[in-house]
Amino acid sequence: HRLDRVAAPWLGVCSTLRQDDPCGQARSYAEKSHGLGLQASVLPLPKGHAAINQELGLPGDYTRGVEAFMASLDPAVAGLLR
């Protein structure tokens, strides 16, 4: 896919445990997104892929980080997440 000025905001959740540096890749992509005026954030986590999928929604910093990004997109969403 091609990144352009009409792309949707995105949150890159990445594992800090992997040797291939997915968080560095996500930060680079976020910088390119910001250069186009897009909203993008990176949420690095000390979790593997399975935990990232399984733990979203559970109480903790991970879920709060995702919810904070979602809240930043729309005041109505922010109100629902309180």
Side-chain angles (χ1 to χ4, degrees):
H1 299 280
R2 197 174 127 212
L3 182 63
D4 60 24
R5 295 183 189 283
V6 296
W10 62 271
L11 173 64
V13 178
C14 56
S15 171
T16 60
L17 303 178
R18 289 181 41 175
Q19 298 298 314
D20 59 345
D21 191 26
C23 294
Q25 295 170 29
R27 282 190 289 276
S28 177
Y29 196 68
E31 289 173 14
K32 290 178 185 178
S33 297
H34 295 154
L36 292 170
L38 301 172
Q39 186 172 354
S41 294
V42 177
L43 180 58
L45 299 171
K47 302 179 182 298
H49 188 81
I52 286 173
N53 288 331
Q54 294 169 346
E55 295 178 17
L56 181 60
L58 298 177
D61 291 340
Y62 173 29
T63 296
R64 280 192 295 277
V66 172
E67 289 179 346
F69 177 78
M70 292 169 56
S72 74
L73 300 176
D74 185 296
V77 171
L80 294 169
L81 293 170
R82 290 190 186 136

